[in-house]
Amino acid sequence: MAAFDPVQFTRSLVDIDSTTGRERETSEWLAHALAALGYRVTEQPVADGRFNVFAQPGTAAPHIVFSTHFDCVPPFFPSRLERGLIFGRGSCDAKGILAAQVAAAERLRASGETRFGLLFVVGEERGSDGARVANERVPEGVRFLIDGEPTDNRLGAATRGVLRVRLEAHGRAAHSSFPELGESAIDKLLDALMVLRGVQLPQDALLGRTHYTVGIIEGGVAPNVVSPHASAELLFRIVGEAAPVRDALHVVEALVSIEQVLEIPAVKLHVVPGFETATFPYTTDVPVLTKWGRPLLLGPGSIHVAHTAEEHLAVEELMTAVDLYDRLARELLAT
Protein backbone atom coordinates (compact mmCIF):
# COMPACT_ATOMS: atom_id res chain seq x y z
CA MET A 1 0.00 0.00 0.00
CA ALA A 2 2.86 2.39 0.77
CA ALA A 3 3.98 2.21 -2.87
CA PHE A 4 0.58 3.31 -4.20
CA ASP A 5 -0.19 7.02 -4.22
CA PRO A 6 -3.83 7.73 -5.15
CA VAL A 7 -3.14 11.44 -5.63
CA GLN A 8 -0.38 10.84 -8.17
CA PHE A 9 -2.43 8.08 -9.80
CA THR A 10 -5.33 10.51 -10.18
CA ARG A 11 -3.12 13.19 -11.70
CA SER A 12 -1.51 10.73 -14.12
CA LEU A 13 -4.95 9.70 -15.34
CA VAL A 14 -6.22 13.28 -15.56
CA ASP A 15 -3.20 14.30 -17.63
CA ILE A 16 -4.25 11.93 -20.43
CA ASP A 17 -7.02 13.26 -22.65
CA SER A 18 -9.77 10.62 -22.56
CA THR A 19 -12.66 12.65 -23.92
CA THR A 20 -15.34 10.14 -24.91
CA GLY A 21 -14.25 8.44 -28.12
CA ARG A 22 -10.56 9.14 -27.41
CA GLU A 23 -10.00 6.73 -24.50
CA ARG A 24 -7.51 4.39 -26.17
CA GLU A 25 -4.38 5.95 -24.64
CA THR A 26 -5.92 5.84 -21.17
CA SER A 27 -7.07 2.25 -21.70
CA GLU A 28 -3.50 1.27 -22.55
CA TRP A 29 -1.99 3.26 -19.67
CA LEU A 30 -4.43 1.79 -17.16
CA ALA A 31 -3.95 -1.80 -18.34
CA HIS A 32 -0.17 -1.39 -18.07
CA ALA A 33 -0.36 0.28 -14.63
CA LEU A 34 -2.57 -2.45 -13.15
CA ALA A 35 -0.43 -5.20 -14.67
CA ALA A 36 2.64 -3.54 -13.14
CA LEU A 37 0.90 -3.72 -9.75
CA GLY A 38 0.53 -7.47 -10.24
CA TYR A 39 -3.08 -7.76 -11.38
CA ARG A 40 -4.34 -10.16 -14.03
CA VAL A 41 -5.66 -7.77 -16.67
CA THR A 42 -8.27 -8.51 -19.32
CA GLU A 43 -8.99 -6.08 -22.13
CA GLN A 44 -12.60 -5.89 -23.34
CA PRO A 45 -12.63 -4.37 -26.86
CA VAL A 46 -15.40 -1.82 -27.41
CA ALA A 47 -14.80 0.18 -30.63
CA ASP A 48 -12.17 2.23 -32.47
CA GLY A 49 -9.29 0.75 -30.48
CA ARG A 50 -10.94 1.63 -27.17
CA PHE A 51 -11.32 -1.05 -24.53
CA ASN A 52 -12.55 -1.60 -21.00
CA VAL A 53 -10.08 -2.83 -18.41
CA PHE A 54 -10.99 -5.68 -16.04
CA ALA A 55 -8.43 -6.69 -13.41
CA GLN A 56 -8.23 -9.35 -10.69
CA PRO A 57 -5.59 -9.92 -8.05
CA GLY A 58 -5.69 -13.69 -8.46
CA THR A 59 -7.83 -16.57 -9.64
CA ALA A 60 -10.49 -16.44 -6.91
CA ALA A 61 -14.04 -15.63 -8.03
CA PRO A 62 -14.63 -11.89 -7.62
CA HIS A 63 -17.53 -11.64 -5.18
CA ILE A 64 -17.41 -7.84 -5.33
CA VAL A 65 -16.32 -5.60 -8.20
CA PHE A 66 -15.29 -1.97 -8.02
CA SER A 67 -16.25 -0.10 -11.16
CA THR A 68 -16.27 3.36 -12.71
CA HIS A 69 -15.60 5.03 -16.05
CA PHE A 70 -12.55 6.90 -17.29
CA ASP A 71 -13.97 8.79 -20.25
CA CYS A 72 -14.65 12.50 -19.75
CA VAL A 73 -16.65 15.33 -21.25
CA PRO A 74 -14.83 18.01 -23.28
CA PRO A 75 -12.86 20.17 -23.14
CA PHE A 76 -9.75 18.47 -21.80
CA PHE A 77 -7.49 20.34 -19.39
CA PRO A 78 -4.61 18.81 -17.41
CA SER A 79 -4.18 18.45 -13.67
CA ARG A 80 -2.81 20.86 -11.11
CA LEU A 81 -2.64 20.63 -7.32
CA GLU A 82 -3.62 23.76 -5.39
CA ARG A 83 -4.81 24.31 -1.81
CA GLY A 84 -5.34 20.61 -1.26
CA LEU A 85 -7.49 20.30 -4.40
CA ILE A 86 -6.77 18.30 -7.54
CA PHE A 87 -8.03 20.28 -10.53
CA GLY A 88 -8.40 18.87 -14.03
CA ARG A 89 -10.89 17.26 -16.38
CA GLY A 90 -12.06 14.00 -14.84
CA SER A 91 -10.54 14.72 -11.43
CA CYS A 92 -13.89 14.02 -9.73
CA ASP A 93 -15.78 12.44 -12.66
CA ALA A 94 -14.39 9.90 -12.39
CA LYS A 95 -10.58 9.46 -12.40
CA GLY A 96 -10.11 10.32 -8.75
CA ILE A 97 -12.80 7.76 -7.97
CA LEU A 98 -10.92 5.18 -10.01
CA ALA A 99 -7.72 5.91 -8.08
CA ALA A 100 -9.53 5.57 -4.74
CA GLN A 101 -10.92 2.21 -5.82
CA VAL A 102 -7.48 0.94 -6.80
CA ALA A 103 -6.08 2.18 -3.47
CA ALA A 104 -8.81 0.32 -1.58
CA ALA A 105 -8.11 -2.76 -3.68
CA GLU A 106 -4.45 -2.56 -2.72
CA ARG A 107 -5.43 -2.49 0.96
CA LEU A 108 -7.63 -5.53 0.52
CA ARG A 109 -4.90 -7.40 -1.32
CA ALA A 110 -2.29 -6.48 1.31
CA SER A 111 -4.54 -8.07 3.96
CA GLY A 112 -4.76 -11.29 1.95
CA GLU A 113 -8.23 -10.64 0.43
CA THR A 114 -8.47 -11.53 -3.27
CA ARG A 115 -12.22 -12.02 -3.84
CA PHE A 116 -12.64 -8.78 -5.75
CA GLY A 117 -12.24 -7.32 -9.20
CA LEU A 118 -11.79 -3.94 -10.86
CA LEU A 119 -13.89 -2.96 -13.89
CA PHE A 120 -13.07 0.34 -15.58
CA VAL A 121 -15.10 1.23 -18.66
CA VAL A 122 -15.18 3.67 -21.55
CA GLY A 123 -18.08 5.61 -22.97
CA GLU A 124 -20.21 6.39 -19.91
CA GLU A 125 -20.67 10.03 -20.87
CA ARG A 126 -22.15 9.20 -24.29
CA GLY A 127 -24.48 6.21 -24.02
CA SER A 128 -22.52 3.67 -21.90
CA ASP A 129 -21.18 1.63 -24.82
CA GLY A 130 -18.35 0.30 -22.63
CA ALA A 131 -20.77 -0.85 -19.94
CA ARG A 132 -22.93 -2.58 -22.55
CA VAL A 133 -19.93 -4.61 -23.68
CA ALA A 134 -18.96 -5.39 -20.09
CA ASN A 135 -22.46 -6.65 -19.32
CA GLU A 136 -21.90 -9.51 -21.74
CA ARG A 137 -18.56 -10.49 -20.16
CA VAL A 138 -19.37 -11.10 -16.51
CA PRO A 139 -17.14 -13.52 -14.57
CA GLU A 140 -18.81 -16.16 -12.42
CA GLY A 141 -19.31 -15.42 -8.75
CA VAL A 142 -19.98 -11.67 -8.79
CA ARG A 143 -22.46 -10.71 -6.05
CA PHE A 144 -22.01 -6.94 -5.65
CA LEU A 145 -21.05 -4.08 -7.94
CA ILE A 146 -19.67 -0.95 -6.25
CA ASP A 147 -20.01 1.72 -8.91
CA GLY A 148 -18.23 5.03 -8.54
CA GLU A 149 -19.68 8.46 -9.32
CA PRO A 150 -19.39 11.78 -7.43
CA THR A 151 -21.70 11.30 -4.42
CA ASP A 152 -19.83 13.40 -1.83
CA ASN A 153 -18.82 10.05 -0.30
CA ARG A 154 -22.44 9.18 0.45
CA LEU A 155 -23.91 5.80 -0.42
CA GLY A 156 -26.54 6.16 -3.11
CA ALA A 157 -30.05 4.93 -2.28
CA ALA A 158 -31.45 5.64 -5.77
CA THR A 159 -30.65 7.46 -9.00
CA ARG A 160 -32.95 8.95 -11.60
CA GLY A 161 -33.18 7.61 -15.09
CA VAL A 162 -33.33 9.39 -18.43
CA LEU A 163 -35.82 9.60 -21.27
CA ARG A 164 -34.64 11.72 -24.17
CA VAL A 165 -37.09 12.46 -26.98
CA ARG A 166 -37.17 14.51 -30.15
CA LEU A 167 -40.34 16.36 -31.11
CA GLU A 168 -40.71 17.07 -34.83
CA ALA A 169 -43.27 19.50 -36.28
CA HIS A 170 -44.05 19.75 -39.99
CA GLY A 171 -45.69 22.71 -41.72
CA ARG A 172 -45.93 24.37 -45.13
CA ALA A 173 -43.71 27.24 -46.26
CA ALA A 174 -45.24 30.49 -47.47
CA HIS A 175 -44.33 34.15 -47.83
CA SER A 176 -44.81 35.81 -44.45
CA SER A 177 -46.99 38.53 -46.02
CA PHE A 178 -49.58 35.80 -46.69
CA PRO A 179 -49.31 33.56 -43.59
CA GLU A 180 -52.73 32.05 -44.33
CA LEU A 181 -51.15 30.28 -47.33
CA GLY A 182 -48.72 28.43 -45.10
CA GLU A 183 -48.70 26.35 -41.95
CA SER A 184 -46.17 27.21 -39.26
CA ALA A 185 -44.23 24.28 -37.86
CA ILE A 186 -42.80 26.58 -35.19
CA ASP A 187 -46.30 27.47 -33.99
CA LYS A 188 -47.15 23.75 -33.76
CA LEU A 189 -43.99 23.04 -31.80
CA LEU A 190 -44.58 25.93 -29.40
CA ASP A 191 -48.16 24.80 -28.86
CA ALA A 192 -46.94 21.28 -28.08
CA LEU A 193 -44.37 22.57 -25.59
CA MET A 194 -47.01 24.69 -23.86
CA VAL A 195 -49.34 21.69 -23.56
CA LEU A 196 -46.54 19.63 -22.04
CA ARG A 197 -46.01 22.25 -19.34
CA GLY A 198 -49.41 21.33 -17.91
CA VAL A 199 -49.01 17.54 -18.10
CA GLN A 200 -48.87 15.62 -14.83
CA LEU A 201 -45.72 13.49 -14.71
CA PRO A 202 -44.90 10.54 -12.38
CA GLN A 203 -43.66 11.05 -8.83
CA ASP A 204 -41.75 8.75 -6.46
CA ALA A 205 -41.58 8.85 -2.68
CA LEU A 206 -37.77 8.55 -2.74
CA LEU A 207 -36.76 10.45 -5.88
CA GLY A 208 -39.50 13.09 -6.05
CA ARG A 209 -41.21 14.34 -9.21
CA THR A 210 -40.19 13.82 -12.80
CA HIS A 211 -38.75 16.95 -14.35
CA TYR A 212 -37.44 17.79 -17.79
CA THR A 213 -35.42 20.28 -19.78
CA VAL A 214 -36.01 21.56 -23.30
CA GLY A 215 -32.38 21.35 -24.34
CA ILE A 216 -32.47 22.08 -28.08
CA ILE A 217 -34.88 23.96 -30.34
CA GLU A 218 -34.33 24.22 -34.10
CA GLY A 219 -36.48 25.37 -36.99
CA GLY A 220 -37.40 27.90 -39.61
CA VAL A 221 -35.88 29.12 -42.84
CA ALA A 222 -35.84 32.91 -42.63
CA PRO A 223 -37.63 35.67 -40.72
CA ASN A 224 -39.91 36.34 -43.70
CA VAL A 225 -40.88 32.70 -44.33
CA VAL A 226 -43.60 30.69 -42.59
CA SER A 227 -41.59 27.84 -41.11
CA PRO A 228 -42.00 24.42 -42.79
CA HIS A 229 -40.14 22.50 -40.08
CA ALA A 230 -39.18 22.75 -36.42
CA SER A 231 -37.91 20.37 -33.74
CA ALA A 232 -36.99 20.21 -30.08
CA GLU A 233 -35.12 17.73 -27.92
CA LEU A 234 -36.34 17.14 -24.37
CA LEU A 235 -34.53 15.31 -21.58
CA PHE A 236 -36.73 13.89 -18.83
CA ARG A 237 -35.11 12.91 -15.53
CA ILE A 238 -37.42 10.04 -14.70
CA VAL A 239 -38.14 8.48 -11.29
CA GLY A 240 -39.08 4.97 -12.45
CA GLU A 241 -39.72 3.26 -15.77
CA ALA A 242 -40.02 5.40 -18.89
CA ALA A 243 -43.40 4.01 -20.04
CA PRO A 244 -45.63 6.35 -17.98
CA VAL A 245 -43.75 9.38 -19.32
CA ARG A 246 -44.04 8.13 -22.89
CA ASP A 247 -47.77 7.65 -22.33
CA ALA A 248 -48.08 11.22 -21.06
CA LEU A 249 -46.52 12.51 -24.30
CA HIS A 250 -49.37 11.13 -26.41
CA VAL A 251 -51.31 14.32 -25.67
CA VAL A 252 -49.21 16.26 -28.22
CA GLU A 253 -49.19 13.70 -31.03
CA ALA A 254 -51.72 15.73 -33.04
CA LEU A 255 -49.16 18.54 -33.19
CA VAL A 256 -45.79 16.80 -33.45
CA SER A 257 -44.21 13.42 -34.06
CA ILE A 258 -42.27 11.89 -31.16
CA GLU A 259 -39.00 10.00 -31.56
CA GLN A 260 -37.33 8.30 -28.60
CA VAL A 261 -33.57 8.92 -28.56
CA LEU A 262 -32.44 7.38 -25.26
CA GLU A 263 -33.99 5.50 -22.35
CA ILE A 264 -32.34 4.57 -19.04
CA PRO A 265 -34.57 3.59 -16.11
CA ALA A 266 -34.29 4.92 -12.59
CA VAL A 267 -32.54 2.54 -10.18
CA LYS A 268 -33.02 1.67 -6.52
CA LEU A 269 -29.65 0.73 -5.04
CA HIS A 270 -28.38 -1.58 -2.31
CA VAL A 271 -27.48 0.23 0.91
CA VAL A 272 -25.50 -0.87 3.95
CA PRO A 273 -26.24 0.25 7.54
CA GLY A 274 -23.76 2.69 8.99
CA PHE A 275 -23.13 4.65 5.79
CA GLU A 276 -24.61 8.07 5.06
CA THR A 277 -27.07 7.76 2.16
CA ALA A 278 -28.63 10.10 -0.40
CA THR A 279 -30.54 10.02 -3.68
CA PHE A 280 -29.10 11.48 -6.87
CA PRO A 281 -30.79 13.09 -9.88
CA TYR A 282 -28.30 11.83 -12.45
CA THR A 283 -27.91 8.45 -14.13
CA THR A 284 -24.89 6.11 -14.23
CA ASP A 285 -23.67 2.91 -15.87
CA VAL A 286 -25.52 0.89 -13.21
CA PRO A 287 -28.76 0.41 -15.23
CA VAL A 288 -26.66 -1.13 -18.02
CA LEU A 289 -24.51 -3.37 -15.77
CA THR A 290 -27.47 -5.52 -14.80
CA LYS A 291 -25.55 -8.82 -14.65
CA TRP A 292 -22.85 -7.69 -12.21
CA GLY A 293 -24.69 -8.36 -8.96
CA ARG A 294 -26.49 -6.06 -6.55
CA PRO A 295 -25.49 -2.46 -7.29
CA LEU A 296 -24.12 0.11 -4.88
CA LEU A 297 -23.03 3.68 -5.65
CA LEU A 298 -20.33 5.64 -3.83
CA GLY A 299 -17.61 8.11 -4.71
CA PRO A 300 -15.72 11.22 -3.65
CA GLY A 301 -16.38 14.59 -5.26
CA SER A 302 -19.40 16.74 -6.02
CA ILE A 303 -21.53 16.47 -9.14
CA HIS A 304 -21.85 20.27 -8.93
CA VAL A 305 -18.26 20.73 -10.16
CA ALA A 306 -18.20 17.78 -12.57
CA HIS A 307 -18.28 18.86 -16.24
CA THR A 308 -17.28 22.43 -15.29
CA ALA A 309 -14.20 24.53 -16.03
CA GLU A 310 -13.29 24.31 -12.32
CA GLU A 311 -13.69 20.53 -11.91
CA HIS A 312 -11.74 19.43 -8.85
CA LEU A 313 -11.51 16.90 -6.04
CA ALA A 314 -10.26 17.51 -2.52
CA VAL A 315 -7.31 15.31 -1.55
CA GLU A 316 -8.86 14.80 1.90
CA GLU A 317 -12.08 13.57 0.31
CA LEU A 318 -10.14 11.26 -1.99
CA MET A 319 -8.37 9.65 0.98
CA THR A 320 -11.64 9.32 2.89
CA ALA A 321 -13.08 7.48 -0.10
CA VAL A 322 -10.25 4.94 0.10
CA ASP A 323 -11.27 4.19 3.69
CA LEU A 324 -14.96 3.97 2.74
CA TYR A 325 -14.38 1.65 -0.22
CA ASP A 326 -12.20 -0.60 1.92
CA ARG A 327 -14.76 -0.72 4.72
CA LEU A 328 -17.68 -1.24 2.35
CA ALA A 329 -15.96 -4.09 0.54
CA ARG A 330 -15.12 -5.89 3.78
CA GLU A 331 -18.69 -5.61 5.05
CA LEU A 332 -20.07 -6.97 1.79
CA LEU A 333 -17.56 -9.80 1.71
CA ALA A 334 -18.56 -10.72 5.27
CA THR A 335 -22.22 -11.20 4.33
Side-chain angles (χ1 to χ4, degrees):
M1 182 64 195
F4 186 83
D5 181 355
V7 174
Q8 186 55 51
F9 201 82
T10 298
R11 295 194 64 186
S12 296
L13 282 169
V14 169
D15 286 339
I16 306 172
D17 180 0
S18 60
T19 304
T20 308
R22 303 182 60 183
E23 301 100 322
R24 180 172 182 171
E25 184 180 353
T26 306
S27 296
E28 293 171 345
W29 186 92
L30 192 54
H32 176 79
L34 292 173
L37 287 170
Y39 289 88
R40 295 170 54 240
V41 175
T42 302
E43 299 177 3
Q44 300 177 348
V46 177
D48 303 319
R50 305 147 61 224
F51 57 88
N52 300 330
V53 176
F54 180 67
Q56 295 175 259
T59 58
H63 291 182
I64 64 165
V65 173
F66 294 104
S67 181
T68 192
H69 63 96
F70 54 88
D71 67 310
C72 302
V73 300
F76 165 76
F77 58 99
S79 73
R80 70 183 193 275
L81 185 61
E82 295 180 4
R83 309 184 311 276
L85 305 174
I86 306 169
F87 289 84
R89 178 61 74 224
S91 53
C92 80
D93 187 18
K95 293 179 176 181
I97 291 168
L98 191 157
Q101 291 182 341
V102 175
E106 285 293 273
R107 284 190 185 177
L108 290 169
R109 190 169 65 154
S111 70
E113 180 60 71
T114 61
R115 295 172 296 164
F116 66 87
L118 299 164
L119 173 67
F120 303 131
V121 301
V122 302
E124 189 270 349
E125 300 288 2
R126 292 286 298 274
S128 297
D129 55 342
R132 296 178 197 280
V133 168
N135 208 41
E136 300 305 319
R137 302 191 60 176
V138 185
E140 293 186 5
V142 178
R143 297 170 54 216
F144 297 100
L145 176 79
I146 304 174
D147 193 47
E149 289 286 349
T151 69
D152 301 294
N153 277 336
R154 296 171 293 174
L155 198 59
T159 59
R160 287 176 179 261
V162 163
L163 177 65
R164 181 178 162 199
V165 299
R166 180 181 174 86
L167 308 184
E168 192 95 31
H170 301 281
R172 184 173 63 255
H175 196 286
S176 62
S177 63
F178 289 92
E180 68 274 12
L181 298 180
E183 187 179 19
S184 173
I186 288 178
D187 285 351
K188 286 184 178 181
L189 180 62
L190 292 176
D191 287 346
L193 293 175
M194 288 302 296
V195 169
L196 283 179
R197 293 182 70 175
V199 170
Q200 293 296 312
L201 295 171
Q203 299 189 45
D204 178 80
L206 192 58
L207 286 167
R209 65 178 182 85
T210 301
H211 57 77
Y212 70 94
T213 303
V214 182
I216 300 173
I217 293 181
E218 298 175 323
V221 176
N224 59 347
V225 178
V226 176
S227 59
H229 56 78
S231 65
E233 288 203 23
L234 282 62
L235 187 71
F236 292 83
R237 295 288 178 173
I238 60 178
V239 298
E241 297 294 328
V245 180
R246 283 198 302 267
D247 291 344
L249 296 178
H250 291 327
V251 70
V252 298
E253 285 183 329
L255 296 165
V256 295
S257 63
I258 303 169
E259 175 192 359
Q260 180 171 307
V261 179
L262 177 66
E263 176 186 343
I264 301 175
V267 174
K268 301 293 173 67
L269 298 153
H270 183 65
V271 294
V272 176
F275 288 80
E276 183 182 359
T277 63
T279 61
F280 297 97
Y282 53 77
T283 190
T284 71
D285 275 332
V286 166
V288 179
L289 296 170
T290 57
K291 301 177 183 177
W292 286 80
R294 300 179 71 177
L296 300 93
L297 185 69
L298 177 72
S302 169
I303 198 68
H304 295 157
V305 299
H307 300 190
T308 73
E310 292 297 313
E311 181 173 352
H312 62 269
L313 176 64
V315 171
E316 182 179 4
E317 194 171 353
L318 171 64
M319 302 310 296
T320 298
V322 178
D323 296 336
L324 289 171
Y325 281 135
D326 178 40
R327 175 184 153 204
L328 184 60
R330 293 181 192 278
E331 293 199 21
L332 294 173
L333 286 166
T335 60

